Amino acid sequence: MSSIDHYENFPVASWLCPARLRPAVQALYHFARTADDLADEGLDPAHHRLDALGEYRADLQACLSPDRSPSIRWPAVFDALDNALQAFNLPTQPLFDLLDAFEQDVIYTSVGQGYRNRAELLDYCRRSANPVGRLMLHLYGVQDATSLAQSDAICTALQLINFWQDRGEDLRRGRDYLPQGHTLAEELRFARQLMLQGAPLVHRVKGRAGWELRAVVQSGLCILTKLDARVGTADPQQLTRPTLKKFDFIRIFWRCIRM
């Protein structure tokens, strides 16, 4: 769990991450980043993207099977991932959940499909964002039900914030994550409620990781404040993502300490 930029919810082996965990964190990040690129980068048509994600899924399944080997297409991804899986006995369902979400994104975007209600959007977040937090908690040895629920709340909030800060770009690309019958103001309030619901997790994750998580929570809340101030001020398609300034970082640092 870290920055909310471009779905990069894994801390990319920052100095706050213990050295013994950095290779595993990097392996998980590159697995998710590569899959995201297959789903979202370049100009390939949807069926080519789905074919590539299908091959990627097959390589993941081969990585988990003792009598099969992944293809040679992504050796750097799956060699490192295999090492991380073995070293930390990582759960594998979150990895498949991430691929499910990427495939859904390709399909929905290709036909201009949106979300009929918040429940549908939250189901997407359950697969696109929550696996990240659960994998990170596993690495840190935190696996109780309360912590997992709080992690899910933070990760879903981060995914929603990512949607709302990039809403202008998404609309220009034919995507709309706003549930039907809801307003952006309502969804910003909901994302804030989720973030605050998950915030006590910072006291359950010890050491430097807990401080990184504090920064994640406070940065997310800061961006929500900026988005709140812009609701209804411009054509949604013309909006750009808010940026954090020097004073914002000072405020975030102070609020991290107060937590």
Side-chain angles (χ1 to χ4, degrees), residues 150-202:
Q150 291 170 342
S151 172
D152 288 347
I154 290 174
C155 289
T156 292
L158 289 174
Q159 179 72 90
L160 294 175
I161 293 168
N162 206 40
F163 289 153
W164 311 144
Q165 72 173 356
D166 287 337
R167 179 159 168 74
E169 175 64 21
D170 283 336
L171 289 174
R172 290 191 293 273
R173 297 179 67 176
R175 296 175 175 172
D176 191 355
Y177 292 99
L178 190 67
Q180 295 176 18
H182 288 254
T183 66
L184 182 56
E186 289 175 320
E187 295 310 297
L188 290 173
R189 286 194 296 272
F190 179 67
R192 184 178 295 275
Q193 291 169 4
L194 281 177
M195 188 67 83
L196 294 175
Q197 178 182 322
L201 181 62
V202 304

Side-chain angles (χ1 to χ4, degrees), residues 56-71 78-79 81-83 85-86 92 95-96:
Y56 201 71
R57 179 186 293 273
D59 273 4
L60 174 58
Q61 292 169 329
C63 183
L64 304 177
S65 176
D67 58 349
R68 296 174 59 193
S69 298
S71 71
F78 288 102
D79 286 349
L81 181 64
D82 184 49
N83 291 335
L85 291 170
Q86 293 188 41
T92 57
L95 301 174
F96 287 103

